């Protein structure tokens, strides 16, 4: 990385609502990555066109030389790439809504990455993800395939077992929990060390050290601290203390299955349905604003969407409400919102 490079990065699934955040992050790190070009591919040409145009507006606003373009095919996107990001949703948000409603009808919480919804999503996605990985293997065998697609563990394992692509699966649920712990402690990241066990959406923090001191017992006894770890109250503090483990938010669908199910039934909706409605409205607004040449308003509309979506996260399942009141507004620059609240299939 000490020598200048001219790396191409491909993004499969570039028509999704996570794309502007990906553009933001890569543009910010472009010099360190040696990234010259980000190429977006999606079978929905209209949506990926919108996201490519919005991505270019992000680069123009933030400053930078990253080129963002729309690929004519997956081969066009992948060939010659150093990294290939993969974030696809086979069947779209309509399929997510269907899976979640079907789960509720069968007596399970409607959630697309755990439980019956997660199995359905995996079965619908595996073949496509493997096929795309084989394209990466054939055209860019040295590229790293970074799998964002959920259920991340299942999809990454399927790609590893059925293709020769160099793949790693990533999930920001663990790092989000670490961020919340740092914030609750009022400490810098380098001052806090946590032991994490589990994988992706299903994991636990079992030990916390603050400036080298093991503070686990003290923090487990601190209700004020535990209350800051989740966007809405999900776990009884006595449960956390009994487990002696701090669970990530997705364990709510296991530890509190009946509560999640009852809240969803009472509201007559699921997170997937909420997201589908929000995203449909967003795409329509972006298309109109970009057509009018008002890229600043398009970016502002996108940030408003992030705030609304983040503000309603887990409220339906955890509290039985569908409030979309946003949290403290996010700053677009230098503090992009958590990726999984707006981008990963889990949200």
């Amino acid at each position: 990385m000490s020598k200048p490079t001219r790396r191409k990065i491909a993004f499969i699934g570039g028509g999704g609502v996570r794309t502007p955040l990906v553009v933001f992050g890569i543009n910010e790190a472009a010099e360190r990555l040696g990234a010259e070009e980000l190429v977006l591919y999606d079978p929905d040409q209209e949506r990926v066109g919108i996201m490519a145009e919005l991505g270019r507006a992000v680069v123009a606003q933030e400053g930078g030389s990253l080129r963002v373009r729309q690929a004519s095919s997956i081969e066009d996107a992948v060939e010659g790439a150093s990294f290939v990001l993969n974030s696809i949703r086979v069947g779209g948000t309509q399929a997510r809504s269907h899976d979640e409603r079907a789960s509720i009808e069968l007596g399970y919480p409607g959630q697309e990455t755990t439980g019956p919804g997660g199995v359905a999503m995996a079965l619908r996605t595996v073949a496509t993800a493997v096929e795309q990985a084989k394209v990466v293997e054939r055209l860019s065998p040295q590229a790293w395939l970074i799998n964002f697609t959920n259920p991340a563990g299942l999809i990454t394992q399927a790609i590893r077992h059925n293709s020769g692509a160099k793949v790693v699966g990533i999930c920001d649920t663990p790092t989000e929990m670490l961020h919340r712990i740092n914030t609750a402690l009022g400490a810098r990241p380098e001052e806090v060390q946590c032991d994490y066990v589990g994988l992706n959406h299903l994991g636990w923090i079992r030990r916390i050290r603050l400036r080298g001191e093991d503070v686990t017992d003290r923090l487990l006894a601190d209700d004020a601290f535990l209350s800051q770890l989740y966007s809405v109250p999900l776990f009884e503090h006595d449960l956390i203390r009994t487990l002696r483990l701090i669970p990530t938010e997705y364990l709510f669908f296991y530890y509190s299955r009946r509560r999640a199910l009852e809240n969803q039934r009472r509201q007559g909706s699921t997170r997937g349905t909420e997201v589908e409605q929000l995203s449909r409205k967003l795409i329509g607004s972006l298309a109109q604003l970009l057509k009018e040449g008002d890229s600043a308003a398009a970016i502002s509309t996108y940030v408003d969407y992030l705030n609304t979506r983040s503000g309603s996260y887990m409220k339906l399942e955890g509290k039985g409400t569908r409030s979309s009141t946003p949290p403290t507004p996010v700053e677009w620059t230098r503090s992009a919102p958590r990726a999984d609240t707006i981008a990963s299939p889990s949200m």
Side-chain angles (χ1 to χ4, degrees), residues 11-23 40-52 54-55 87-89 92-93 279 282-283 286 302 305-306 309 342-345:
F11 186 18
I12 302 173
V17 293
R18 81 176 314 150
T19 301
L21 282 178
V22 173
V23 173
L40 310 179
Y41 169 74
D42 197 289
D44 189 329
Q45 290 293 295
E46 181 179 2
R47 281 189 55 149
V48 74
I50 292 170
M51 291 302 165
L54 184 60
S87 178
I88 64 174
R89 186 188 293 281
T93 53
S279 298
L282 171 70
I283 296 299
L286 292 178
Y302 181 73
Y305 162 84
L306 297 182
R309 185 165 175 171
I342 56 85
S344 81

Side-chain angles (χ1 to χ4, degrees), residues 162-233:
N162 296 281
S163 81
K166 296 165 54 179
V167 61
V168 293
I170 65 173
C171 172
D172 71 347
T173 294
T175 55
E176 172 63 14
M177 177 57 74
L178 300 182
H179 173 73
R180 287 181 177 272
I181 288 172
N182 292 342
T183 301
L185 291 173
R188 297 189 302 274
E190 62 270 19
E191 295 179 317
V192 181
Q193 291 182 314
C194 296
D195 292 350
Y196 181 89
V197 293
L199 178 67
N200 299 327
H201 286 174
L202 302 181
W204 301 258
I205 301 291
R206 64 179 179 182
R207 182 166 288 105
I208 302 173
R209 298 180 183 86
L210 177 62
R211 303 181 191 94
E213 177 188 357
D214 188 335
V215 294
T216 309
D217 290 339
R218 173 168 66 83
L219 295 179
L220 288 175
D222 187 342
D223 288 335
F225 170 79
L226 296 178
S227 295
Q228 296 181 63
L229 301 183
Y230 307 97
S231 56
V232 297

Side-chain angles (χ1 to χ4, degrees), residues 16-123:
V17 293
R18 81 176 314 150
T19 301
L21 282 178
V22 173
V23 173
F24 176 90
I26 292 176
N27 180 62
E28 187 177 35
E31 184 175 351
R32 296 192 301 275
L33 291 172
E36 181 179 60
E37 182 180 46
L38 174 63
V39 185
L40 310 179
Y41 169 74
D42 197 289
D44 189 329
Q45 290 293 295
E46 181 179 2
R47 281 189 55 149
V48 74
I50 292 170
M51 291 302 165
E53 188 171 352
L54 184 60
R56 289 189 286 270
V58 169
V59 173
Q61 175 177 285
E62 295 301 303
S65 58
L66 181 70
R67 296 200 311 271
V68 181
R69 71 173 176 90
Q70 176 181 352
S72 58
S73 65
I74 187 171
E75 290 81 6
D76 175 31
V78 166
E79 187 169 16
S82 297
F83 299 97
V84 179
L85 312 180
N86 182 24
S87 178
I88 64 174
R89 186 188 293 281
V90 178
T93 53
Q94 297 88 345
R96 172 181 182 173
S97 296
H98 174 273
D99 290 346
E100 291 178 346
R101 290 194 302 269
S103 295
I104 292 170
E105 290 172 3
L106 294 170
Y108 294 89
Q111 214 288 323
E112 72 161 350
T113 66
T114 61
V119 173
M121 185 180 184
L123 291 174

Side-chain angles (χ1 to χ4, degrees), residues 248-286:
T248 57
E249 56 209 8
Y250 287 92
L251 271 301
F252 173 72
F253 294 101
Y254 291 88
Y255 290 131
S256 301
R257 180 176 68 84
R258 291 187 182 91
R259 178 179 154 201
L261 178 61
E262 289 169 1
N263 286 340
Q264 290 176 330
R265 282 176 168 168
R266 184 165 57 251
Q267 288 299 319
S269 185
T270 71
R271 180 62 173 168
T273 300
E274 287 188 337
V275 168
E276 183 180 359
Q277 294 168 349
L278 287 171
S279 298
R280 187 184 304 117
K281 181 180 178 181
L282 171 70
I283 296 299
S285 298
L286 292 178

